[in-house]
């Protein structure tokens, strides 16, 4: 739980629960049938469509949009799920502005792409509302596979393996499956308990046993898994967080943005969460933006993101940055924290201006102070690597088929060094690893 | 400012935009609103003998839509007026008195007996109306009773009824033709032979717009059943334009005034009908879709276009396109063009490629030097224009004429400077050598 410095202004209930509920409503509200028809009509059904190339899971976008236009939303949903079983979550959380919608020819033509994300949501919502799961598993193969980590990568892998008739055990250290879909993604992107509904949808295929509260390294070992299963897939994400390495980091009042977000996602009534009056978030990625925006939506008065490089280097997309700024978050570039201060009369962070020097980022020596009641670090998560597979630059090493250095062990998602750290990338890797495992087991 | 005043077979109106005989002209209330909005004239909703017909009490319309539910085609199973004859006559008289400068033409449909026509013509004359239109076009309901298109499909009947009317009234007689025939020139010739002052066309096209797949019945569905209706709106404009041109360029009917009807929605549609030989136009679906105010755009658009072109009045451009409508066999086969893609405008959607690749002549690349690139291969392009039509960017693909004397890379032939058509072509067994 977020706590401020001694004497700092941190409290719950800055806004009423109604205000908070309104603030955390859908960022991109669902399209109704007519809106979907109008949006679908804008698609040109491109040949070898650039949007498909830009989608990490390669969804046949022109086809599913045409199915919507032809009044076949369930068929459209199936087209999406064929490539991406978490197409529902991706429709909500993908930074489409840097993926499919950026590549859409209508973006090039008129700066207004086809609304692929919202159409995807329309189709997936429609099919998920049906009572029957759209897939039937192949005949049982008798093979057993352990999937460790029930985030997007693990869920996608488990589903594809189950589809091929394999028996999957899905382990996760946390009490609930879903990974960052459940604990990380901004609340306003996936309101209404969608993450768990989607987990249930994925598991509905059968052949998947879920064991939550089971942590690799604590309750399980890779050797045991290798012994008991025909194959292992590691999808453990990045469970650790980076340190600031500035004095004062350990002070009460300095916390991890991911924890703050996890608390928020877990809260029955977010308005009951304590929030600082003045919040400083350090970092430049999606996590920094989400922590800052959600602090603001909970009623914080002044929220500042401080990032050590320029705007173009921020990992958060332009859309996300604009979102933060329109929600009243201030973004300050080219500064790094020197010291967290918690004196009687002064609480906050002292920053030093930075610039791109010949040998990389360097401080200019000039400093400034940003007052804060709460400081949130969002400077990246780290891998907590299991013993065994080779690790390079903080990520598990894999080949093109997501095989690790250990025989019979595959890995994918944020824990490997391939592609961006996005939900959709994790899904693609989990799915492709499953295909590789399937080939290996049936060869 | 161009002069939009219209004189159609002696019937004067401030502009050439009339409302066609249909719901918009069903009664005084509508017609007065139309005149207030600026319409030049109306053809009153078709009158019949008492006892008046009745309409269905369920849905009468079906439709076809384009993007954003834009109505493209409308289908109806409405009959002629369902009000007593005298009510209509009284209202026509009152409207004409109040709006002397507007055209008021009365549409008629009575059984095929001379006395029926003489009777009603007298009654219409008493109203002070400017003319009559004989409805030989309605394809549903009335045709089953031996009227409407049942008459319009038999040239002899058209001629006979037209002659009765001409002999029994001093009013101009316009004959409204049905498109539900094989060759529209025959009914037009019959109308002319009967003495018609003009023809108007087209009435609606027999149609079923869609089928309700739950009820397994055509739409609109009434208690589980449907009936074919009449199709109109933007979707029928190409059919109507062709029929107008056929009559305008037929030596037997050339010069017979035509009132152009079918899908007129904007000033441009009207100008196109008139360029092909229509003296004025009539509008129904566009008004039923958007209301009467659209005439403001029609008047303004037509007069600006005429000003831009220097046409002082509508007669100045009427029929100018008629001589350029010819038969296929006279088209110049020595006119060789190639598609050209403007790379700055191209948004790389690939539609031209896949259309040409899958269904035409494999004449557009998808890739060049490993990058996505769409370019016409002159050695394959037959200039069919398909790519131009499927490209979503206006003006991105154009057709460029190859100059005479150059070699067409597709055929290896040097392009002759002179005109050469099929009648002279060596592949034509009945070719005649060009002089
Ligand atoms: C705050 C935040 C916001 C984000 N917003 C977006 C967004 O808007 N859009 C987007 O596309 N991406 C977003 N991302 C990134 C996205 O969430 C991740 O890329 C994606 O979740 C990675 O999936 P994964 O399956 O690899 O890992 P995770 O989702 O991290 O799942 C890993 C799972 O493994 C479990 N686990 C970890 N270690 C062990 C162990 N030792 N034993 C057993 N289980 C273990 C964890 O409990 C967890 O359930 C965001 C990330 C963060 C942190
Ligand atoms: C509901 C409806 C009723 C019609 N009734 C008549 C009619 O009584 N008499 C007639 O001559 N034409 C009738 N028509 C045909 C129209 O006058 C006109 O010829 C046809 O709709 C084509 O023009 P448009 O494309 O502008 O609609 C009717 C059309 C519609 C839509
Ligand atoms: S690029 Fe845009 S227009 Fe083309 S298929 Fe994809 S969504 Fe449709
Ligand atoms: S004009 Fe026809 S043949 Fe030529 S490139 Fe276009 S589609 Fe192909
Ligand atoms: S259809 Fe038009 S825009 Fe699309 S690739 Fe071809 S030329 Fe370019």
């Amino acid at each position: 739980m977020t706590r401020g410095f001694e004497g700092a202004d941190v409290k719950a209930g800055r806004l009423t629960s109604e205000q908070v509920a309104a603030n955390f409503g859908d960022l991109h509200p669902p399209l109704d049938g007519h809106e979907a028809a109008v949006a679908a009509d804008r698609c040109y059904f491109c040949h070898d469509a650039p949007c498909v190339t830009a989608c990490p899971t390669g969804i046949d976008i022109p086809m599913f949009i045409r199915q919507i236009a032809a009044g076949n939303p369930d068929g459209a949903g199936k087209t999406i799920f064929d490539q991406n079983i978490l197409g529902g979550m991706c429709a909500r959380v993908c930074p489409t502005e840097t993926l499919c919608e950026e590549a859409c020819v209508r973006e090039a033509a008129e700066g207004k792409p086809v609304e692929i994300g919202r159409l995807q949501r329309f189709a997936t919502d429609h099919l998920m509302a049906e009572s029957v799961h759209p897939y039937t598993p192949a005949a049982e193969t008798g093979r057993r596979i352990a999937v460790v980590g029930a985030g997007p990568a693990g869920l996608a892998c488990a589903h594809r393996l189950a589809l091929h008739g394999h028996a999957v055990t899905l382990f996760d250290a946390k009490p609930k499956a879903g990974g960052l879909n459940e604990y990380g993604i901004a609340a306003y992107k996936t309101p209404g308990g969608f993450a768990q509904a989607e987990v249930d949808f994925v598991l509905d295929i059968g052949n998947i046993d879920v064991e939550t509260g089971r942590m690799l390294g604590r309750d399980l070992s890779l050797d045991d898994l290798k012994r008991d299963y025909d194959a292992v897939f590691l999808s453990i994400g990045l469970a650790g967080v980076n340190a600031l390495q500035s004095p004062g980091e350990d002070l009460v009042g300095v916390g991890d943005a991911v924890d703050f977000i996890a608390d928020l996602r877990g809260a029955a009534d977010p308005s009951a969460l304590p929030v600082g009056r003045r919040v400083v978030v350090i970092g430049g990625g999606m996590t920094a933006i989400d922590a800052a925006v959600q602090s603001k939506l909970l009623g914080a008065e002044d929220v500042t993101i401080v990032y050590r490089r320029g705007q173009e280097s921020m990992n958060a997309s332009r859309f996300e940055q604009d979102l933060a700024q329109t929600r009243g978050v201030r973004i300050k570039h080219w500064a790094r924290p020197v010291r967290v201060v918690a004196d009687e009369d002064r609480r906050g962070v002292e920053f030093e201006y930075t610039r791109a020097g010949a040998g990389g980022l360097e401080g200019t020596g000039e400093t400034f102070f940003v007052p804060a009641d709460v400081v949130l670090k969002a400077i990246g998560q780290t891998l907590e690597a299991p013993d065994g597979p080779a690790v390079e630059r903080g990520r598990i090493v894999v080949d093109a088929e997501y095989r690790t250095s250990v025989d019979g062990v595959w890995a994918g998602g944020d824990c490997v060094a391939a592609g961006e750290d996005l939900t959709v990338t994790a899904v693609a890797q989990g799915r492709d690893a499953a295909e590789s495992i399937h080939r290996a087991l049936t060869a | 400012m161009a002069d939009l005043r219209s004189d159609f077979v002696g019937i004067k109106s401030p502009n050439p935009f009339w409302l066609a005989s249909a719901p918009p002209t069903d009664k005084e209330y509508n017609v007065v609103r139309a005149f207030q909005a600026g319409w030049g004239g109306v053809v009153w909703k078709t009158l019949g003998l008492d006892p008046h017909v009745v309409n269905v009490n369920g849905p009468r319309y079906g439709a076809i839509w384009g993007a954003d539910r834009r109505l493209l085609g409308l289908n109806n199973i409405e009959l002629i007026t369902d009000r007593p004859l005298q009510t209509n006559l009284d209202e026509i008289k009152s409207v004409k008195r109040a709006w002397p400068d507007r055209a008021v033409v009365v549409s008629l449909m009575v059984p095929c007996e001379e006395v029926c026509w003489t009777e009603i013509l007298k009654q219409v004359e008493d109203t002070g109306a400017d003319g009559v239109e004989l409805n030989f076009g309605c394809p549903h309901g009335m045709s089953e009773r031996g009227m409407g298109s049942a008459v319009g499909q038999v040239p002899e009947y058209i001629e006979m009824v037209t002659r009765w009317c001409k002999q029994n009234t001093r009013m101009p007689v316009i004959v409204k033709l049905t498109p539900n025939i094989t060759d529209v020139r025959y009914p037009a010739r019959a109308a002319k032979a009967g003495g018609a002052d003009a023809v108007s066309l087209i009435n609606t096209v027999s149609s079923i717009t869609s089928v309700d797949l739950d009820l397994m019945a055509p739409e609109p569905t009434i208690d589980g059943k449907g009936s074919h209706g009449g199709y109109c709106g933007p979707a029928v404009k190409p059919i109507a334009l062709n029929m107008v041109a056929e009559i305008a360029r037929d030596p037997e009917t050339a010069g017979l005034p035509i009132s152009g009807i079918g899908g007129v929605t904007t000033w441009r549609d009207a100008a196109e009908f008139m360029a092909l030989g229509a003296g004025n136009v009539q509008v129904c679906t566009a008004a039923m879709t958007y209301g009467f105010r659209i005439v403001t755009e029609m008047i303004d658009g037509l007069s600006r276009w005429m000003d831009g072109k220097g046409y002082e009045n509508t007669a100045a451009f009427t029929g100018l396109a008629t001589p350029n409508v010819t038969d296929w066999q006279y088209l110049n086969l020595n006119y060789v063009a190639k598609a050209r893609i403007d790379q700055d405008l191209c948004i790389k959607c690939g539609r031209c490629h896949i259309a040409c690749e899958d269904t035409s002549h494999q004449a557009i690349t998808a890739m060049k030097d490993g990058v996505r690139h769409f370019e016409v291969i002159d050695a394959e392009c037959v200039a069919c224009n398909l790519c131009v039509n499927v490209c979503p960017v206006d003006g991105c693909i154009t057709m460029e004429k190859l100059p005479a004397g150059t070699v067409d890379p597709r055929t290896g032939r040097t392009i002759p400077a002179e005109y050469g058509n099929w009648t002279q072509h060596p592949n034509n067994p009945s070719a005649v050598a060009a002089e």
Side-chain angles (χ1 to χ4, degrees), chain B residues 52-132:
Chain B
H52 57 80
V53 303
V54 295
N55 273 302
V56 293
N57 296 301
R60 350 183 147 165
Y61 305 125
I64 294 292
W65 298 273
D68 206 0
R69 231 176 123 83
R70 178 177 289 260
L71 192 139
L72 297 181
L74 185 72
N75 157 290
N76 82 88
I77 55 166
E78 180 177 285
L79 304 184
I80 62 173
T81 183
D82 55 9
R83 306 189 307 155
L85 178 60
Q86 196 56 49
T87 310
N88 278 303
L89 293 169
D90 293 345
E91 289 186 7
I92 293 168
K93 190 171 193 167
S94 140
V95 168
K96 185 63 207 181
R97 193 174 302 136
W99 298 86
D101 70 323
R102 307 302 168 94
V104 178
V105 173
V106 178
S107 171
L108 300 175
M109 185 197 288
V110 293
C112 258
E113 295 161 37
E114 187 167 7
V115 54
C116 298
W117 290 95
T118 20
E119 287 288 305
I120 201 163
L121 283 167
K122 255 189 264 129
Q123 290 173 295
V124 173
E125 270 182 14
D126 288 344
T127 64
D130 300 297
V132 290

Side-chain angles (χ1 to χ4, degrees), chain A residues 34 38 41 43-50 105-106 108-109, chain B residues 66-69 347-351 353-354 366 372 374 392:
Chain A
H34 174 69
V38 173
D41 257 326
C43 173
Y44 290 147
F45 199 71
C46 294
H47 163 71
D48 187 14
V105 299
R106 298 204 74 162
Chain B
D68 206 0
R69 231 176 123 83
I347 59 170
K348 300 190 169 38
C349 68
R351 279 170 63 161
H353 163 80
I354 203 63
R372 194 172 169 83
F374 302 91

Side-chain angles (χ1 to χ4, degrees), chain B residues 339 356 361 363-364 381-387 399:
Chain B
C356 191
H361 299 86
I364 298 182
C381 175
V382 302
C384 71
N385 214 36
L386 178 65
C387 53
M399 300 306 292

Side-chain angles (χ1 to χ4, degrees), chain A residues 157-205:
Chain A
C157 182
H159 187 271
R160 187 54 69 99
L161 289 169
L163 184 67
H164 285 311
H166 305 300
V168 180
T169 309
L170 182 55
F171 296 100
D172 201 290
K174 291 249 166 64
K176 283 195 205 167
L180 287 171
N181 285 359
E182 178 60 29
Y183 296 104
I185 298 289
Y188 49 80
K189 289 183 185 169
T190 164
F194 180 76
Q196 281 313 300
E198 186 177 52
V199 168
D200 294 343
F201 166 76
V202 171
L203 298 180
D204 264 345
I205 190 169

